[in-house]
């Protein structure tokens, strides 16, 4: 067996939450190839295969310098045989035939289109595909039964397909800050999601609302949604409210916060002579009790893969359960409190990774 020494800059820790992953990296072609295959696998319901490609792509995202050739792949963790083949082909030929074939397939293109519709997941998209539907026009002309959410998704499809920019995100933060200042003085509004990681645009805006006095945030979501409605800014909304029992139940449960998925009418700054001075954007509002805010912030900042890896690390390396509400130590049988994200990383025995380096 040949032993190779891996240079320090290409030494990669096994979990994405142990790595610093900036937004920009020198492997966009390689990452795009793997992420296309990950997406295509998820479209076929093959979660494990999708995850394998996502893991490999995430490793490339954190490398500080461009790979000099296929030989440098061997020291990296999480690159399976299939990913290795794909990477080798892109490194040597510039493109991978399998990826190009997938991208051009009717199946991939249609699934991508349908799952891009707000309210449409892989199962629904797959059913429509098997029914022979291929376009938004088909959905409309075949009188396909749509949920209220999907109807809104189709109605505002063109607007929602345009990414939300940083300036738009900031104007939404200001709008919600203005509203909460009236409804609940001293309430906090925190931008989470991709924008907190430094992304210049995103598919939606994720806002966390809280109040320094725990308990004062109760009822805020309802009044905020009502206010947005009165201002004629709500094009669609779906709220879900946690019950006290749910909020304190199983630590394995998904988010139990009061939250609201909306499509908002974003008024554009310069109306000029244009007739239409607004566009539809997706805004998610999440109301968080103060003591859970660091956990919610960590959980809602992402990336999705970073979050998945944090939870996997907590469980397998620390016997802890992490979610957006708290951190539970299974050995001690206790919840660990934290007043900042830094403290959560400390509890987990991880070096702190700032939001802009969580683009795993
Ligand atoms: N999140 C998660 N698991 C989910 C949903 C969300 O871990 N099932 C977390 C990670 C995401 C964050 O919440 O990064 C926000 O979800 P988005 O889908 O909005 O993801 P991003 O904000 O990262 O992407 P985009 O910029 O496209 O909005
Ligand atoms: Mg987002």
């Amino acid at each position: 067996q040949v032993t190779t020494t891996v240079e320090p800059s290409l030494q990669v820790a096994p979990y994405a939450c142990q790595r610093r992953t900036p937004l920009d990296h020198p492997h966009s072609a390689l990452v795009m190839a793997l992420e296309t295959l990950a997406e295509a696998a998820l479209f076929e319901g093959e979660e494990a295969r999708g995850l394998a490609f996502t893991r490999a792509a995430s490793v490339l995202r954190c490398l500080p310098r461009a790979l000099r050739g296929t030989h440098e792949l061997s020291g990296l963790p999480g690159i399976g045989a299939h990913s290795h083949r794909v990477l080798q082909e892109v490194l040597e030929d510039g493109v991978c035939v399998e990826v190009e074939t997938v991208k051009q397939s009717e199946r991939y293109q249609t699934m991508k289109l349908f799952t891009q519709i707000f309210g449409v997941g892989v199962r629904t998209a797959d059913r429509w595909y098997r029914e022979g539907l291929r376009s938004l026009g088909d959905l409309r002309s075949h009188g396909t039964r749509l949920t209220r959410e999907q109807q809104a998704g189709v109605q505002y499809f063109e607007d929602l397909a345009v990414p939300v920019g940083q300036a738009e995100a900031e104007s939404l933060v200001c709008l919600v800050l203005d509203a909460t200042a009236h409804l609940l003085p001293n309430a906090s509004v925190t931008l989470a999601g991709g924008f907190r990681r430094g992304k210049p645009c995103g598919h939606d805006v994720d806002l966390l609302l809280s109040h320094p006095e725990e308990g004062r945030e109760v009822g805020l979501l309802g009044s905020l949604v009502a206010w947005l409605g009165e201002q004629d800014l709500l094009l669609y909304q779906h709220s879900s409210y946690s019950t006290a029992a749910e909020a304190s139940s199983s630590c394995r449960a998904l988010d139990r916060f009061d939250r609201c998925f909306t499509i908002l009418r974003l008024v554009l700054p310069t109306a000029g002579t244009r007739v239409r001075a607004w566009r539809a954007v997706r805004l998610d509002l999440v109301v968080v009790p103060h003591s859970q805010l660091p956990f919610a912030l960590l959980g809602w900042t992402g990336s999705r893969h970073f979050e998945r890896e944090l939870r996997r690390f907590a469980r397998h390396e620390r016997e802890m359960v992490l979610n957006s509400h708290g951190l539970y130590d299974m050995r001690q049988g206790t919840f660990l409190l934290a007043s900042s994200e830094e403290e959560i990383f400390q509890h987990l025995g991880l070096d702190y990774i700032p939001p802009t380096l969580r683009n795993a």
Side-chain angles (χ1 to χ4, degrees):
Q1 194 180 333
V2 183
T3 47
T4 50
T5 48
V6 181
E7 79 173 58
S9 67
L10 293 186
Q11 281 172 11
V12 176
Y15 289 88
C17 58
Q18 298 172 301
R19 312 194 288 249
R20 300 162 76 81
T21 311
L23 199 55
D24 296 317
H25 58 82
H27 294 109
S28 50
L30 299 177
V31 166
M32 226 184 301
L34 292 174
E35 289 183 349
T36 301
L37 294 182
E39 194 180 26
L42 295 182
F43 289 163
E44 303 317 310
E46 297 171 20
E47 312 258 331
R49 218 161 64 83
L51 189 54
F53 287 126
T54 301
R55 283 219 177 108
S58 176
V59 165
L60 293 176
R61 280 180 179 275
C62 82
L63 297 179
R65 66 151 176 86
L67 291 169
R68 297 194 183 111
T70 313
H71 63 282
E72 289 192 321
L73 290 172
S74 53
L76 301 175
I79 313 274
H82 196 157
S83 293
H84 193 283
R85 273 204 314 278
V86 172
L87 294 173
Q88 180 161 12
E89 223 179 303
V90 179
L91 282 167
E92 287 170 7
D93 308 338
V95 285
C96 166
V97 174
E98 184 187 358
V99 174
E100 296 311 304
T101 308
V102 162
K103 280 202 290 196
Q104 271 149 41
S105 71
E106 189 174 39
R107 169 73 180 176
Y108 174 80
Q109 289 180 7
T110 310
M111 290 296 287
K112 196 162 173 68
L113 173 74
F114 286 164
T115 54
Q116 206 194 326
I117 302 170
F118 175 55
V120 179
V122 167
R123 276 159 172 243
T124 304
D126 175 61
R127 193 179 72 237
W128 290 345
Y129 186 87
R130 286 186 284 109
E131 287 170 8
L133 306 175
R134 295 293 181 268
S135 66
L136 294 185
D138 288 351
L139 288 180
R140 291 176 177 130
S141 64
H142 285 66
T144 310
R145 262 198 60 214
L146 302 176
T147 63
R148 201 172 62 87
E149 192 180 29
Q150 292 162 355
Q151 279 173 30
V154 170
Q155 183 177 354
Y156 300 111
F157 183 85
E158 285 75 16
D159 272 5
L160 299 184
V162 178
V164 182
Q166 243 157 17
E168 291 177 319
E170 276 156 29
S171 82
L172 284 178
V173 172
C174 289
L175 174 78
V176 173
L177 263 175
D178 279 352
T180 52
H182 292 294
L183 300 169
L184 180 66
N186 289 325
S188 65
V189 177
T190 312
L191 184 59
F195 287 108
R196 186 159 181 259
R197 302 197 308 275
K199 278 178 65 177
C201 57
H203 93 285
D204 69 356
V205 175
D206 307 287
L207 295 184
L208 304 185
L209 311 182
S210 190
H211 191 284
E213 260 176 75
E214 185 136 342
R216 295 284 302 278
E217 79 286 350
V218 175
L220 175 59
L221 190 66
S223 51
L224 179 58
V225 168
W227 183 89
L228 291 168
E230 283 158 22
Q231 308 295 312
D232 197 25
L233 296 175
L234 267 187
L235 299 169
Y236 170 87
Q237 72 94 6
H238 172 88
S239 301
S240 49
Y241 292 93
S242 74
T243 62
E246 274 178 345
S248 61
S249 72
S250 162
C251 52
R252 240 173 288 168
L254 290 168
D255 278 15
R256 293 293 187 195
F257 298 118
D258 286 0
R259 57 187 284 184
C260 183
F261 298 108
T262 75
I263 300 177
L264 228 65
R265 182 199 302 276
L266 177 69
V267 177
L268 300 172
T270 49
T273 53
R274 276 180 301 173
V275 179
R276 191 167 161 278
W278 61 271
R279 82 172 189 101
V281 292
R282 284 263 302 105
L283 169 70
D284 283 352
L285 298 165
V286 185
V287 176
V288 181
H290 186 69
S291 62
Q292 298 175 22
L293 194 52
F295 296 97
L297 193 55
L298 181 58
W300 278 83
T301 296
S303 68
R304 267 163 203 274
H305 188 60
F306 190 89
E307 301 296 335
R308 186 167 34 224
E309 290 280 278
L310 265 177
R311 294 190 295 263
R312 190 168 72 92
F313 179 87
R315 182 171 282 277
H316 291 106
E317 305 298 327
R318 300 291 185 253
E319 290 183 54
M320 292 180 186
V321 181
L322 174 70
N323 64 21
S324 297
H325 297 275
L327 179 62
Y328 182 75
D329 185 328
M330 294 192 285
R331 280 175 296 195
Q332 293 181 25
T334 53
F335 283 95
L336 302 174
L337 304 181
S339 58
S340 64
E341 285 182 318
E342 282 88 340
E343 281 183 35
I344 305 173
F345 281 86
Q346 269 170 28
H347 284 317
L348 289 167
L350 285 170
D351 286 341
Y352 178 67
I353 311 282
T356 53
L357 296 175
R358 296 181 203 160
N359 289 290

